[in-house]
Amino acid sequence: MEDATTPMHVGSVLVFGPPSEDSAGQLDFDEIVAIVAERLSSSPRYRQVVRHVPGRIAPPVWVDDTRFDLSYHVRRSALPKPGDRRQLGEFVARVQSRLLDRTRPLWEIYVLEGLEDGGFAIITKAHHALVDGVNARDIGELIVEETPKDDRDGPISSPRLWRPRPAPSDFSLVKDALAEGVRRPRYVVDAVRGGLDEVRTAVGKVGAGLGDMGSALMRASANPAPPSPLNRTIGEARRFVMVDTDLDDYRTIRKQLPRGNFAEDVTTHDVILATITGALRIWMLTRGEPVRSGTTVRALVPVTVEDDDDPSDAKARIDVGLVDLPVGEPSAAMRLHQIAFAMRQQVESGRAVGARRLSNVAAFGAPTMHAVASRAGSAFSRRLFNVSITNVPGPQEPRYVGGAQLRAAYPVMPLAKGQALSIGLTSYNGRVCYGLNADRDSMKDLFVIGEAIPDALEELLEAHRATRTADRGKA
């Protein structure tokens, strides 16, 4: 799925307050580098590179980077005065739009000074090959801590001495691939010979392995996503907007719902989706787009479903759902109820595509076939959905790097082919932080959605306050 216009790395913007008084208010960049070096000891993949097997007879492998250079990956920069949020968003958009260097470990960190209140930011980039979003830990998560530097026992520990293992030769890579293929000898031998029959067999295996995903694509073909200004041919450049809201506002809306009519099934996630729906409605009206009572925007969202085979498997409980957001509905309260019902149907129907089934597509070994499947999924994306929305709950207690407290954390989610906008959000320490990543040319008014999110949240609050007052009057 990755090319010059669709880099497949995920990122985060971690905004910190001013450094502690111990550092005389000055950022200790060397300390941050030392923290990163220490954390890498527990995550060896961040010092490895991707190496392709000659002839592509097996999937690529991870090998130690014999020229690993931490100073290449951890970079220092600064904003010109006044260092406001708009400038921060522009910086993030520039660095996140660039592809990672495939010849080095697939991650970068930018330590950005010069924020207007004396704070600083850490911007991270890590390729999807490193972070699966379920089990693997992002580099941004590795470097923050539960306690500030002043409360730790002793100084930062020195990283363990690391020596890269010698890079394997092409001969050893082929030998290992053939040894791995003993259990599938015909596959390997025919792949080496370039046999077309085995390629057809591999294609068939991929098609069979898609399983429910293939069925979902067929259903989407029969009922494609509605036409939307969110689906455009995208370029390389990006825009990025950050939005902060109060987590208690979403909880208040849930508490104000009248009991009965499945109100107890409405989740905070539903309220968030209703808020985004209201913001998209405002944005479309501002653009002069046709918004009728039945107008919808189809969103790709994660849903949680218990796996009957293995309830303890966290990955098995993360499914992908397609939800039609009712942007044409003028009532904020009704939008929330419609979304809550749609999300409940996603879970109860079992029609969502499971993450386990999606990950199984990659298990057939042939990189060429995997690329075909990925490209097919990317080609379907415009018909499947209009926008992706990823909501990941974060810690509700403060986090730190050195002596500085983390104030906000904004996700940066990649764009797929034909997708002009992706929305990532995370809750942290009583806040809900939105990261809006968009194509620069087709989303010149991205700031409108950013400004509309707090307005849509307030609209929901007012709607449910009015409902609660009316119910009291009847009583």
Side-chain angles (χ1 to χ4, degrees):
M1 292 179 65
E2 183 170 68
D3 61 25
T5 63
T6 56
M8 286 292 115
H9 53 252
V10 293
S12 60
V13 182
L14 308 176
V15 178
F16 294 86
S20 64
E21 295 181 0
D22 286 355
S23 59
Q26 298 297 314
L27 175 68
D28 191 341
F29 177 74
D30 292 337
E31 180 185 29
I32 293 177
V33 174
I35 291 172
V36 174
E38 178 191 7
R39 301 298 188 275
L40 293 185
S41 299
S42 62
S43 299
R45 183 125 310 159
Y46 282 90
R47 289 188 287 211
Q48 294 181 320
V49 294
V50 174
R51 178 87 175 270
H52 288 281
V53 177
R56 304 294 176 100
I57 64 173
V61 296
W62 294 101
V63 299
D64 287 350
D65 182 10
T66 56
R67 56 168 187 164
F68 180 74
D69 178 6
L70 185 61
S71 64
Y72 174 86
H73 295 275
V74 185
R75 308 173 183 186
R76 189 175 191 175
S77 189
L79 293 178
K81 292 183 178 180
D84 57 25
R85 179 170 293 233
R86 181 191 61 81
Q87 291 171 306
L88 175 58
E90 283 289 333
F91 183 90
V92 173
R94 287 196 301 272
V95 301
Q96 294 289 357
S97 64
R98 298 195 292 261
L99 290 166
L100 289 160
D101 185 350
R102 295 286 191 92
T103 67
R104 297 179 182 270
L106 297 172
W107 63 278
E108 295 172 358
I109 286 178
Y110 294 80
V111 181
L112 186 66
E113 301 174 69
L115 270 60
E116 55 188 347
D117 62 351
F120 65 97
I122 295 179
I123 295 105
T124 71
K125 293 170 61 175
H127 200 279
H128 263 307
L130 291 177
V131 184
D132 66 10
V134 179
N135 294 320
R137 300 181 68 193
D138 179 75
I139 188 69
E141 183 183 353
L142 288 174
I143 61 178
V144 296
E145 302 174 289
E146 296 183 4
T147 57
K149 176 180 64 174
D150 299 341
D151 296 342
R152 290 200 304 264
D153 295 328
I156 298 172
S157 61
S158 299
R160 295 192 300 269
L161 181 63
W162 178 78
R163 289 191 177 93
R165 288 170 293 183
S169 66
D170 287 349
F171 174 78
S172 65
L173 288 175
V174 173
K175 181 185 68 174
D176 290 344
L178 293 175
E180 174 66 20
V182 167
R183 59 190 177 89
R184 293 183 298 166
R186 183 191 167 202
Y187 179 86
V188 175
V189 172
D190 286 352
V192 173
R193 293 174 179 171
L196 293 178
D197 288 342
E198 186 55 32
V199 171
R200 295 190 188 99
T201 301
V203 172
K205 288 181 178 180
V206 170
L210 288 171
D212 289 348
M213 181 181 176
S215 299
L217 294 177
M218 292 298 292
R219 285 195 299 271
S221 299
N223 182 26
S228 171
L230 294 169
N231 297 126
R232 292 287 185 268
T233 300
I234 63 175
E236 298 181 21
R238 297 288 182 264
R239 294 183 190 274
F240 187 73
V241 169
M242 296 160 285
V243 181
D244 291 274
T245 56
D246 194 329
L247 179 58
D248 282 342
D249 287 342
Y250 300 91
R251 293 169 173 169
T252 297
I253 292 169
R254 287 191 63 205
K255 292 177 183 177
Q256 290 178 346
L257 290 171
R259 298 300 91 186
N261 296 325
F262 300 102
E264 61 276 5
D265 294 335
V266 177
T267 67
T268 302
H269 182 56
D270 297 335
V271 181
I272 288 172
L273 288 179
T275 301
I276 294 172
T277 303
L280 291 175
R281 172 182 169 83
I282 294 171
W283 170 72
M284 292 178 69
L285 291 171
T286 302
R287 271 197 167 201
E289 298 287 341
V291 179
R292 304 178 180 86
S293 60
T295 301
T296 61
V297 168
R298 183 167 297 169
L300 182 76
V301 298
V303 294
T304 304
V305 177
E306 192 75 22
D307 190 292
D308 294 333
D309 297 329
D310 187 1
S312 65
D313 186 353
K315 178 180 281 190
R317 298 199 300 267
I318 306 296
D319 277 17
V320 176
L322 296 172
V323 180
D324 289 337
L325 305 179
V327 295
E329 172 55 55
S331 167
M334 186 58 67
R335 289 197 294 267
L336 174 56
H337 286 291
Q338 290 178 3
I339 288 170
F341 177 79
M343 292 300 296
R344 190 167 64 250
Q345 290 292 103
Q346 285 283 341
V347 175
E348 292 176 352
S349 68
R351 290 179 297 176
V353 182
R356 172 183 287 174
R357 300 179 195 126
L358 288 173
S359 64
N360 283 343
V361 175
F364 293 102
T368 302
M369 295 303 102
H370 187 202
V372 169
S374 296
R375 291 177 192 275
S378 180
F380 265 107
S381 64
R382 180 173 297 192
R383 302 195 68 182
L384 273 173
F385 60 95
N386 306 124
V387 62
S388 61
I389 301 172
T390 305
N391 175 18
V392 179
Q396 295 309 305
E397 301 79 26
R399 292 294 187 267
Y400 304 85
V401 64
Q405 181 175 331
L406 177 64
R407 289 180 171 177
Y410 307 95
V412 187
M413 307 307 296
L415 301 181
K417 288 287 186 184
Q419 306 294 323
L421 172 67
S422 66
I423 300 175
L425 58 134
T426 188
S427 56
Y428 163 70
N429 198 25
R431 306 292 293 170
V432 177
C433 306
Y434 291 79
L436 311 179
N437 191 32
D439 176 60
R440 190 172 190 86
D441 293 331
S442 54
M443 294 293 292
K444 295 179 180 179
D445 54 355
L446 179 64
F447 70 94
V448 174
I449 301 179
E451 294 174 352
I453 287 175
D455 293 341
L457 180 58
E458 182 60 31
E459 186 182 12
L460 275 168
L461 283 165
E462 289 295 333
H464 289 284
R465 287 190 195 116
T467 300
R468 193 175 184 87
T469 301
D471 289 343
R472 287 175 179 172
K474 292 178 183 178

